[in-house]
Amino acid sequence: DYEESFEAMAHMIVSAFSCDLTRVASLHMAELPIDLVVPGYSGSLHDELAHAVWVDPYAAQVMTDYTAIHAQQFARILELLDSIPEGSGSMLDNTLCLWVSELGDATHGFEKWAAVMAGGHAFQMGRYLHFPSDTPFEGWNWDGTLPAMGRPHQQLLVSILQAFGINESSMGTESVTGIDGVTIDCTGPLPGLA
């Protein structure tokens, strides 16, 4: 029922927007069923494949395919929004859609955390921005290293707040402590985003 549930929820969100019942929606899709990603695989997607992305090329490919399915779901939501006429364009032109994952990779890493924005509003779309993983955050990684991370995600969220006219400079967490006590600033918008 995973695919049917997704399709129903996507239509419900777009319908609610169309009727102006809400202007904000969040859709969280739980872990994909293994059969959608690797038909006939009897092992654990999470334990056997996701956690092995850095050491097993097959696992890395499976998780790439996994992400591709979520990308198709995101594209489906964009397609539904684009099918609704609104003003001189479509509902998609007047909607900001954000697709994120909780982590940067399946081994619970903080680097390579991607955020995809689509639609309209105050941001210039159609470009790729890279923020290097140079923030010394003390986290744990499966290979025993202490990884760095990119810009704190709070800055992305502050950018979105400010684009919608909400004059806030933080999302509640103003700083976190990094490696060796370094203070990591979590306030303000992402530079170059707007």
Side-chain angles (χ1 to χ4, degrees):
D1 296 337
Y2 188 94
E3 291 170 303
E4 290 177 15
S5 295
F6 166 77
E7 191 69 19
M9 289 304 300
H11 279 276
M12 194 179 317
I13 289 169
V14 173
S15 296
F17 285 175
S18 297
C19 298
D20 205 18
L21 295 174
T22 187
R23 295 187 177 202
V24 178
S26 177
L27 176 59
H28 170 261
M29 297 302 292
E31 183 177 304
L32 288 169
I34 187 70
D35 283 345
L36 285 179
V37 187
V38 187
Y41 188 82
S42 60
S44 167
L45 177 71
H46 183 260
D47 294 334
E48 294 175 12
L49 298 172
H51 285 172
V53 295
W54 293 112
V55 296
D56 180 355
Y58 176 74
Q61 183 58 55
V62 167
M63 294 314 295
T64 297
D65 296 343
Y66 182 100
T67 303
I69 293 170
H70 281 310
Q72 291 167 357
Q73 292 172 331
F74 185 63
R76 176 66 176 142
I77 292 171
L78 301 179
E79 175 185 41
L80 290 171
L81 289 167
D82 199 36
S83 72
I84 307 294
E86 189 173 271
S88 61
S90 72
M91 187 176 290
L92 179 60
D93 297 322
N94 298 305
T95 305
L96 175 64
C97 299
L98 175 65
W99 170 34
V100 296
S101 175
E102 65 176 320
L103 298 164
D105 62 56
T107 60
H108 300 218
F110 295 109
E111 33 183 13
K112 299 182 182 179
W113 184 78
V116 179
M117 295 194 322
H121 206 59
F123 298 107
Q124 178 187 349
M125 300 298 180
R127 60 195 179 127
Y128 170 80
L129 298 175
H130 176 255
F131 296 95
S133 297
D134 57 4
T135 305
F137 185 75
E138 186 171 3
W140 179 73
N141 209 337
W142 290 98
D143 65 2
T145 64
L146 296 176
M149 66 178 186
R151 301 297 295 255
H153 71 273
Q154 290 93 336
Q155 293 177 338
L156 170 64
L157 300 176
V158 166
S159 299
I160 293 170
L161 285 177
Q162 291 180 359
F164 282 90
I166 300 170
N167 191 21
E168 293 289 336
S169 62
S170 78
M171 293 296 299
T173 301
E174 296 191 0
S175 66
V176 293
T177 303
I179 296 173
D180 297 331
V182 174
T183 300
I184 300 168
D185 182 17
C186 298
T187 62
L190 279 173
L193 189 60

